[in-house]
Amino acid sequence: MLGTARLQVRPQHLNAVIPLSSPAATPSLAKLGALLDAVRDACEPGTWSRGVELARDQAVVGERSDGEEIVVRVATDGGLVSPVVSLFLDDLDWDCECKLPEDPCVHVAAAVIAVKQARRQGQSTLELGRSVASERGQLRYGFESSQGVLLLRRWLVTRGDARPFIGSLVERMAEGSGPQLIATKHDHQFESVVGPFRGGELPRKLIARVFRALQGASELTFDARPAEIGPPSSGICLRVSSHRDDFVARLEQDPGISEVFTNGATRHGQVLRAVAPHGMDERTFASLRRGRTFSSHEVGSLVGEILPKVKARVTVIVDTDKLPGVMRVKPRLELATARDGERLSALPRIVYGDPPVARVDGERLTLLAGGDVPLRNVKVERLLLSRLEELGLELGVKRSLAPAEAIALASVLESIDTDIRASDESVHKEFFEVGSLAPRLEMDDQGGFELWFEAGEEGAESGRPTGQRADASAVIQAWERGESLAPLMDGGFGRLPAEWLERFGDRVADLLATKSDVTRKASLPAFTAPDLAALAESLDQIPPPAFGRLKEIIDDFEGIPAAILPDDLQAELRDYQRHGVAWLAFLRKAGLGALLADDMGLGKTVQALCLLGKNSLVVAPTSVLHNWAVETKRFRPNLKFEVYHGPGRSLRDDCPVVMTTYAILRLDIEKLVARKWDIVVLDEAQSIKNPDSKVAKAAYRLDADFRICMTGTPVENRLLDLWSQFHFINRGLLGGRKHFQERYVKPIAAGNPETGARLRQRIGPFVLRRRKSEVARELPPRTEIVLRCELSDDERRSYDAVRAATQTDVVAKLSGGKDVLAILEALLRLRQAACHTALLPGHERVAGRASSKLQLLVDTLSEVAAEGHKALVFSQWTSMLDLTEPHLRAAELTFTRLDGSTRDRGGVVAGFQAPDGPQIMLLSLKAGGVGLNLTAADHVFLLDPWWNPATEDQAADRAHRIGQDKPVIVHRLVAKDTVEERILALQVRKRELAEVAVGQATAAAGITREELVALLE
């Protein structure tokens, strides 16, 4: 029985666990030198230097060596993480099981340096680091039996002496009391299954997982002798014997078992195995456990059913030579065919007999009828399998064949020379080809159209009818699937006009998607005119009348006529703003919606105000509503407007312009949808980016002649943001949501540049985006810098504890496709730990201290304020702003604050903008990221980076906008060697993706599962 007292480890046990190297396994100095040179040449200088330090600190411990491959373990992070490094001398190659992005990593560098040094000193590889390993210790796992139960205890072996190890490696590290030992991957795998472990009986439900975690580990014993973990076993065998003319099959205990444990394990000598299911149903198991007798008439059941069924999981021992195969018949191929929509499903089988009496199912023979048992002819079965491969089929796998494949297979089945037979002779005859298809188009003056495809005359040669039609949707679906044939309405298939579809297939697909997405079938939207005109031209037909009215915006974006500005406009518009007003007016006249996507701070509001008049609705975030009222009074003093907001709100019919918020739009949608609007403007239109949200669905219901979306970030997280806004302004232009995902989102995500170009071309006439660098060259420069801080020792311990406590379990869950919310929670904790330990639950006691990042912020702000500058400080957490305030007071820096709880936002902004106002404004990213003009500040500080760069750009543009006359500096505060540095790298990749849609420097895709894994590892 294992106790809690010290266990003296026997020397022969240690020698068995860690074998000594032989002279034959000693690597040559020449090969080692060449490998060392290769690693050093490939290493970053910093990585090589850290590798030298690890080798000097004797962190490298030998595992094994065969002369060509050297395996060592490198102890890092206090010995708790010890990745295995393999060095391949002949190939001058290496491998490390760590997940660091560097290659070679610091562990490889340390390994090759230490092995070369040991060889110079006459040491064998496996003697390397043994004194240090013995000093630091390693975990051993001791199994023992007690009254039929398998017990396990862990021991920390140091200098040949063993002490019980109780608890968890991760817990001890988090507490700062971790033992100095060299842990293996088996140690971490064990803890990921069991967690903190005190020793004793292993629960039955965990024993299989524990054995998998420890399989291959060398540090195992049973009764103090070396042991190993074997594959799971049912622990039983089926013994077949004969008695006169009968056969007896009986389940028995596997004769190789030395001991059975009640908690789900067996021992075969010094090999431990988990008990695995036997795979039999209860009735079969019970009958065979008692012993079942088969008469000569029942031998077919034994040979054809019982033995094939049990031998996959149970050892079969046959003690007789009388067991027969009772039938000799040639196998053949049979196809079970069925119509599967426009495809043909085919399930190939190898059967015996005609009609079939048995079927081949993998390695088993399944009896289909009573009588004799066929003797399998494996040679002929293999010939039939090769015939199946020629047809592109797989035994026992149902395959859905495209029309062209189905027609080819039907031809084979109809051949008189075939050795393949169909189970249903009629189904495959439905697949035949009737000539090539040609497009046909009919249009009316109201914008309606009918498009179909018609089979040509060449089908008459085969005796098939000509002039048959194919539905346009069926043709496009076949083309998008990459097929060459499409189904005809009256049966059979026609060949696609590949060249014509290559030129116009995308337009047809978009037209059909628009037609199915809009509700007014008789009159399609005006934006379909260019597509219809292109189809008409290709078929020598006259383009639709609506096409002429749109030529200016399609052919010459600059040829739009100037708009008449309102008489009461109190603003001198810039040239690009005049063009924006003209563009909006043109689209309004054409009955089309607009997406005004100018950079933030270029005056989108004043451009929209030039169009507002009778019966207009403006919807904006609550934080921007005040700005609309101020801008309207400033630029259109004679324009009457009503702010529809607050508990006492009422909607008056006599007010030309109504201004409200997205929250009120959602709450009062029935009142707002009851009114027919001339113009509806959605400001910061990314607010409807989620088409499933209540506010987006409310916006879609608004009845308006002209719709405008205004936003500096039309694609904030994913391309679906863009679809949602176009579904509001020009419903049907991008088709339905599913159509958009299939035709645009997936190909763009896969890196298809042509799809991105097609999307830009399609939405181009309805998107106006000007960058500051293009139209507001008088704006002062904007500089972005990264300020890095080094975490203090206490902060580093807290951060590493959080990382260690989440990494193994959480990354494993995410890799398995589960618990994404748990991952986001873990990522939140890591980001908080990088900013201030007090943000972590249970660490409020350190709230009064200045974190390293907070100290860097205050020091930098003090310099900025001393030079007469003003600054904005953004954080995603108001709790981080709470922690910042006391330190600003202590530094005698004046400040104000704006977050979600601020009521008088206009007063706070005006106070800060005043020359004698506070030096600093603290803002929550959500409340202060949009709709604010804060040009009094010329420094912007971002306390906590986020993977979506659009969010940070919105914050920076509060200061860098028209009206700013000083250079703006954006400071990103980042804690070194934390998840924040990976977030910065992720931002770079997302900016590159963003250019696909509308050429904006924002993220074009939300964070993926793979990106989350990369951030946490």
Side-chain angles (χ1 to χ4, degrees):
M1 214 36 209
L2 295 176
T4 57
R6 295 188 184 181
L7 171 68
Q8 187 66 35
V9 179
R10 303 173 186 176
Q12 62 268 28
H13 175 205
L14 289 178
N15 289 339
V17 173
I18 308 174
L20 296 176
S21 63
S22 63
T26 303
S28 71
L29 272 174
K31 289 182 179 180
L32 274 174
L35 180 60
L36 184 141
D37 291 340
V39 172
R40 181 167 50 197
D41 290 343
C43 259
E44 295 290 337
T47 302
W48 182 260
S49 297
R50 293 195 301 274
V52 171
E53 294 174 2
L54 282 174
R56 186 184 300 125
D57 294 341
Q58 297 183 295
V60 181
V61 179
E63 290 280 316
R64 66 177 185 273
S65 172
D66 61 4
E68 296 180 358
E69 179 184 358
I70 301 172
V71 179
V72 300
R73 189 176 298 280
V74 182
T76 60
D77 294 337
L80 286 174
V81 181
S82 308
V84 171
V85 175
S86 299
L87 303 176
F88 306 99
L89 299 182
D90 289 344
D91 298 331
L92 296 183
D93 202 357
W94 55 84
D95 181 65
C96 180
E97 67 179 10
C98 78
K99 296 183 179 180
L100 295 177
E102 303 166 291
D103 185 27
C105 63
V106 63
H107 311 116
V108 171
V112 70
I113 294 169
V115 170
K116 178 72 183 296
Q117 186 64 30
R119 183 70 185 90
R120 269 195 195 139
Q121 296 174 357
Q123 281 186 300
S124 70
T125 301
L126 297 184
E127 293 172 336
L128 182 65
R130 282 300 163 198
S131 61
V132 176
S134 176
E135 189 71 28
R136 289 184 175 179
Q138 291 180 284
L139 289 180
R140 299 285 183 262
Y141 296 81
F143 291 96
E144 189 170 297
S145 172
S146 174
Q147 299 179 349
V149 177
L150 184 65
L151 306 179
L152 171 65
R153 301 208 195 284
R154 288 194 297 177
W155 306 86
L156 178 58
V157 180
T158 309
R159 296 184 300 276
D161 185 58
R163 298 174 180 270
F165 185 86
I166 297 173
S168 163
L169 290 170
V170 173
E171 285 181 352
R172 293 198 179 193
M173 183 186 71
E175 296 169 359
S177 58
Q180 291 297 309
L181 58 88
I182 298 177
T184 69
K185 69 176 181 181
H186 301 293
D187 300 328
H188 292 293
Q189 289 173 176
F190 175 83
E191 289 201 354
S192 71
V193 173
V194 180
F197 184 63
R198 301 188 63 82
E201 179 180 350
L202 287 170
R204 186 183 186 91
K205 64 181 180 180
L206 291 182
I207 204 156
R209 294 173 60 196
V210 168
F211 278 18
R212 279 198 302 271
L214 294 178
Q215 194 164 17
S218 59
E219 305 85 1
L220 306 178
T221 64
F222 180 84
D223 281 348
R225 289 192 301 147
E228 62 180 287
I229 304 295
S233 169
S234 64
I236 56 178
C237 69
L238 180 65
R239 187 179 297 275
V240 181
S241 58
S242 60
H243 180 66
R244 297 179 182 175
D245 293 333
D246 297 335
F247 295 88
V248 179
R250 186 188 307 277
L251 288 173
E252 302 175 353
Q253 180 174 301
D254 189 333
I257 292 179
S258 307
E259 188 173 2
V260 178
F261 303 104
T262 59
N263 49 338
T266 58
R267 180 171 63 85
H268 303 244
Q270 290 301 105
V271 178
L272 299 172
R273 303 176 187 267
V275 175
H278 50 67
M280 290 176 276
D281 58 76
E282 293 183 7
R283 183 176 178 180
T284 302
F285 178 80
S287 67
L288 294 176
R289 187 72 182 88
R290 292 190 301 267
R292 181 175 171 184
T293 300
F294 297 83
S295 67
S296 58
H297 301 292
E298 298 172 313
V299 70
S301 177
L302 174 63
V303 174
E305 295 180 34
I306 302 299
L307 295 184
K309 184 183 297 183
V310 304
K311 71 178 183 180
R313 299 191 181 187
V314 173
T315 302
V316 176
I317 301 175
V318 179
D319 289 336
T320 177
D321 57 1
K322 296 181 179 180
L323 209 61
V326 293
M327 176 189 288
R328 291 184 180 275
V329 60
K330 183 179 178 181
R332 62 183 178 84
L333 277 176
E334 182 177 81
L335 284 180
T337 56
R339 185 74 184 250
D340 180 17
E342 307 307 335
R343 303 167 76 89
L344 177 70
S345 72
L347 174 63
R349 303 181 297 189
I350 296 178
V351 298
Y352 284 83
D354 188 11
V357 296
R359 179 181 70 241
V360 175
D361 291 328
E363 297 298 323
R364 298 179 305 206
L365 188 68
T366 300
L367 296 179
L368 302 177
D372 294 341
V373 179
L375 183 65
R376 294 185 66 173
N377 189 329
V378 178
K379 182 177 180 180
V380 175
E381 286 181 16
R382 288 174 179 167
L383 292 175
L384 294 175
L385 286 174
S386 64
R387 178 74 172 122
L388 278 180
E389 290 180 5
E390 294 172 5
L391 296 173
L393 300 174
E394 185 178 349
L395 183 65
V397 177
K398 180 187 289 187
R399 186 178 167 205
S400 181
L401 302 175
E405 297 171 306
I407 291 173
L409 180 61
S411 175
V412 171
L413 292 174
E414 289 295 302
S415 171
I416 60 175
D417 298 327
T418 185
D419 55 354
I420 305 174
R421 192 177 303 171
S423 58
D424 187 337
E425 294 290 343
S426 63
V427 174
H428 63 270
K429 295 181 179 180
E430 300 174 13
F431 289 84
F432 57 89
E433 183 178 340
V434 182
S436 298
L437 296 173
R440 300 287 185 264
L441 175 68
E442 285 184 0
M443 297 178 292
D444 57 40
D445 293 339
Q446 287 73 42
F449 75 95
E450 289 296 331
L451 178 68
W452 71 95
F453 291 79
E454 197 170 280
E457 295 296 327
E458 65 267 30
E461 299 177 3
S462 61
R464 305 291 188 184
T466 61
Q468 293 191 72
R469 287 191 174 192
D471 182 74
S473 295
V475 170
I476 291 301
Q477 289 170 12
W479 174 67
E480 289 179 333
R481 290 193 298 265
E483 297 172 0
S484 59
L485 299 170
L488 302 174
M489 295 178 179
D490 296 326
F493 294 82
R495 187 159 297 278
L496 300 183
E499 183 178 346
W500 190 87
L501 286 173
E502 185 65 28
R503 294 174 58 201
F504 302 104
D506 289 318
R507 290 182 182 270
V508 174
D510 289 331
L511 273 171
L512 295 177
T514 298
K515 195 172 184 179
S516 65
D517 194 43
V518 298
T519 56
R520 293 177 292 174
K521 302 292 184 182
S523 177
L524 289 176
F527 58 70
T528 60
D531 291 327
L532 286 173
L535 298 186
E537 183 181 359
S538 73
L539 301 175
D540 295 326
Q541 294 180 222
I542 300 174
F547 179 67
R549 298 193 296 269
L550 293 178
K551 278 188 70 69
E552 292 90 343
I553 197 170
I554 295 168
D555 298 339
D556 184 7
F557 208 72
E558 298 297 328
I560 299 171
I564 300 175
L565 300 178
D567 294 336
D568 65 336
L569 181 64
Q570 300 296 311
E572 185 64 36
L573 297 184
R574 298 162 184 255
D575 289 342
Y576 77 88
Q577 291 172 332
R578 287 180 176 272
H579 179 70
V581 175
W583 175 76
L584 290 170
F586 179 86
L587 289 178
R588 179 185 183 184
K589 184 178 179 181
L592 296 166
L595 175 58
L596 184 55
D598 286 343
D599 260 355
M600 290 169 282
L602 291 184
K604 293 187 291 292
T605 302
V606 72
Q607 294 176 64
L609 279 172
C610 290
L611 274 78
L612 296 188
K614 184 180 179 181
N615 212 23
S616 299
L617 174 66
V618 175
V619 185
T622 305
S623 59
V624 181
L625 193 60
H626 170 78
N627 188 62
W628 267 93
V630 171
E631 299 281 85
T632 303
K633 292 177 182 177
R634 176 184 174 190
F635 296 125
R636 296 284 306 276
N638 297 333
L639 181 62
K640 293 182 180 180
F641 66 89
E642 167 193 3
V643 176
Y644 182 59
H645 192 253
R649 61 185 178 272
S650 62
L651 193 61
R652 304 198 325 266
D653 293 334
D654 60 343
C655 190
V657 178
V658 176
M659 298 177 181
T660 191
T661 66
Y662 286 101
I664 300 301
L665 171 65
R666 175 174 51 83
L667 294 172
D668 291 4
I669 182 58
E670 298 304 330
K671 291 182 180 179
L672 294 169
V673 80
R675 187 164 165 180
K676 175 67 181 294
W677 303 95
D678 182 38
I679 299 177
V680 170
V681 178
L682 299 188
D683 191 15
E684 302 296 347
Q686 69 271 16
S687 300
I688 66 163
K689 63 186 178 184
N690 180 5
D692 294 323
S693 66
K694 290 182 179 180
V695 70
K697 292 177 180 178
Y700 301 152
R701 292 180 59 193
L702 292 172
D703 188 3
D705 292 330
F706 182 42
R707 299 163 181 253
I708 303 174
C709 278
M710 290 173 31
T711 174
T713 54
V715 180
E716 191 172 58
N717 279 310
R718 50 185 181 163
L719 285 178
L720 193 60
D721 301 354
L722 191 68
W723 178 89
S724 184
Q725 292 168 75
F726 267 91
H727 193 65
F728 171 74
I729 60 172
N730 284 325
R731 181 170 180 175
L733 177 71
L734 297 178
R737 182 171 170 181
K738 183 178 179 181
H739 170 87
F740 183 72
Q741 289 277 8
E742 294 296 326
R743 287 194 55 75
Y744 292 105
V745 175
K746 289 183 180 179
I748 288 173
N752 187 329
E754 294 179 358
T755 306
R758 191 172 75 247
L759 176 59
R760 289 193 299 273
Q761 182 183 34
R762 186 152 188 80
I763 67 175
F766 316 107
V767 178
L768 186 59
R769 177 166 182 78
R770 281 79 62 90
R771 301 176 185 274
K772 292 174 184 174
S773 58
E774 298 167 348
V775 298
R777 295 182 178 88
E778 76 281 7
L779 267 180
R782 167 175 154 178
T783 304
E784 299 191 9
I785 61 175
V786 176
L787 299 179
R788 286 182 167 82
C789 66
E790 191 83 46
L791 296 183
S792 67
D793 292 343
D794 289 342
E795 289 173 324
R796 176 57 64 185
R797 278 192 291 271
S798 296
Y799 181 88
D800 289 344
V802 171
R803 183 174 181 270
T806 59
Q807 187 178 37
T808 302
D809 183 48
V810 172
V811 172
K813 287 180 179 178
L814 185 61
S815 299
K818 300 178 180 178
D819 293 330
V820 174
L821 291 179
I823 306 308
L824 293 174
E825 174 70 15
L827 184 59
L828 169 66
R829 296 300 175 222
L830 287 173
R831 294 175 60 234
Q832 289 175 330
C835 288
H836 201 303
T837 307
L839 295 174
L840 297 172
H843 291 73
E844 293 80 3
R845 64 185 183 279
V846 298
R849 305 176 192 169
S851 67
S852 300
K853 181 178 286 191
L854 200 50
Q855 189 61 56
L856 175 62
L857 172 70
V858 173
D859 291 345
T860 310
L861 283 173
S862 297
E863 296 178 11
V864 167
E867 295 173 359
H869 300 284
K870 287 191 176 188
L872 308 178
V873 178
F874 285 92
S875 175
Q876 293 182 60
W877 305 302
T878 56
S879 52
M880 186 64 185
L881 301 180
D882 295 339
L883 294 170
T884 304
E885 288 190 11
H887 299 285
L888 295 182
R889 293 191 186 96
E892 298 183 350
L893 296 170
T894 59
F895 65 90
T896 186
R897 176 166 168 169
L898 192 151
D899 57 32
S901 64
T902 304
R903 289 292 172 259
D904 184 14
R905 298 170 61 90
V908 172
V909 170
F912 178 76
Q913 288 287 94
D916 57 349
Q919 300 162 304
I920 298 161
M921 177 181 279
L922 303 177
L923 304 100
S924 66
L925 206 55
K926 184 175 182 180
V930 295
L932 296 176
N933 296 312
L934 299 171
T935 52
D938 55 354
H939 285 258
V940 178
F941 290 81
L942 301 169
L943 277 178
D944 32 85
W946 190 235
W947 53 68
N948 182 357
T951 304
E952 296 183 354
D953 289 340
Q954 287 176 331
D957 281 324
R958 297 312 99 212
H960 192 240
R961 57 198 301 116
I962 291 177
Q964 179 61 267
D965 56 4
K966 300 178 290 296
V968 174
I969 301 178
V970 180
H971 309 261
R972 285 181 171 83
L973 278 70
V974 173
K976 291 175 63 177
D977 299 323
T978 70
V979 69
E980 292 186 335
E981 291 191 321
R982 291 185 179 140
I983 288 175
L984 286 187
L986 181 58
Q987 285 181 353
V988 173
R989 296 196 296 274
K990 289 195 169 292
R991 287 181 189 274
E992 294 171 352
L993 282 174
E995 294 295 328
V996 171
V998 289
Q1000 66 184 88
T1002 55
I1007 191 165
T1008 65
R1009 185 181 304 275
E1010 292 74 18
E1011 288 169 338
L1012 277 174
V1013 172
L1015 288 177
L1016 285 174
E1017 288 180 341

